[in-house]
Amino acid sequence: MTIRDGSAVDVVGVGFGPSNLALAIAIEEHNRSVDPERRIVARFVEKQTRFGWHRGMLLPGTTMQISFLKDLVTQRNACSEYSFLNYLSQRDRLSHFINHQSFFPSRVEFHDYLEWAADKVAADVLYGTEACGVSWDGEFFEVQVAGRSPVRGRNLVVAAGFTANLPVGVERSDRVFHNHRLLDHLHALPEQRHHRFVVVGAGQSAAEVTAHLHDTYPRSEIHAVFGKYGYTPADDSPYANRIFDPEAVVDFHRSSTDLRQQLLDYHRGTNYSAVDLPLIEELYRREYQERVSGSRRLFVRGASEVSKILDSDSGVSVRICHRPSQVFEDIDCDAIIFATGFRPTGLVDLLGPLSEECEADDQGRPLVSRDYRVQTSDRVTGAIYLQGNTEHTHGLTSTLLSNLAIRSGELVESLSASR
């Protein structure tokens, strides 16, 4: 449903990645089942010019770490036309996928599924439009965007994603960058003079970047640097995966602050600084075979850290410290890639002065009710919902795709109830 510029809608969505795409689908399916006066009218603003999800990390051969059944809709509506299975049918690949005998599609294929769903859903999305401020006028939220009238709505759903996390003091450049736009940076990389790369990080993305560089640059050395002695296998065992179940979100939200932290600590190995075991074994195999042949290109440098970076036109000089021995080594490389994760975008960055109307805990984190609504002062009568930035209140699923379908249904239920 398309709305006239300047007219207020029921909900304004900031960002149109997988989270708000799932919400748009849930709204569309809700609207089909209710009387016209109960329909929810939504408009989304998205700074990208077209739908995209971590395009810079669509590396050949990489697979999803969640089942295809945890798509945009299936756990909420198994009969939805937006399911991954229907996507496969529409792409004439259903039988081939079944024969593949895998629950885990490639990342490239899952991205194609998301693009297919984004093209299919009848959502009003203003692509190429970046939200640059949010205010509350006493009746509506106004999302300021460059070059056009504010987008006005009774409720606000913020799914602005995460900010790439670089170590303190690290300055981005053509040769010093975060992994989230790896393919773009590699495409624009200046002349390679040293045939050497450094990858910092111990998680899945770091291991994938290391393997990709090792494959793509056969003349180059790849130095993987991290504080552990080796990559840690991700815990994807059946019982541990219950932390991603919808019931676990309910349990987590009603737990005390101390218990929430204990649960996060117990299960960090399912998501943080952990790598799929087959990839660990493959990297070790490569490194060992190079030791046998005597021609080393892959160096996995555990218990180490980067202590100094000197960036220049000709390359990057990196000082690596082996922490137990305090032995330092300086190497010159063509680029250093930081696969050092992401941090949630703070409410001040998202909402500006409006964030002062939001209640926070003693660590400055937003207080969020079970339906993902931020607790605000009485001056703001509209609802602000968060998709992401709720790990402290809703658990590990907040930052992942695992619970998109269920969460979008809960948001629609809350939006519908507030009308």
Side-chain angles (χ1 to χ4, degrees), residues 34 95 120 153 162 195 221 224 270 287-288 351 354 404 406:
V34 298
S95 295
K120 182 179 174 63
F162 294 83
H195 299 289
E221 294 178 2
T270 60
E287 189 184 28
Y288 182 76
L351 302 178
L354 183 59
L404 289 187
I406 299 295

Side-chain angles (χ1 to χ4, degrees), residues 13 25 41 54 66 86 88 102 150 163 204 255 263 339 343 361 415:
I25 293 170
V41 180
H54 296 307
I66 60 169
N86 189 48
L88 289 172
S102 174
T163 303
Q204 180 73 19
S255 296
L263 292 171
R343 55 182 174 81
D361 63 15
L415 287 165

Side-chain angles (χ1 to χ4, degrees), residues 184-220:
D184 298 329
H185 284 294
L186 292 179
H187 180 73
L189 192 67
E191 179 186 0
Q192 298 173 55
R193 301 183 180 182
H194 306 289
H195 299 289
R196 191 177 290 117
F197 292 89
V198 172
V199 181
V200 180
Q204 180 73 19
S205 292
E208 289 176 353
V209 170
T210 298
H212 177 72
L213 294 173
H214 192 258
D215 288 335
T216 308
Y217 298 91
R219 295 176 55 205
S220 296

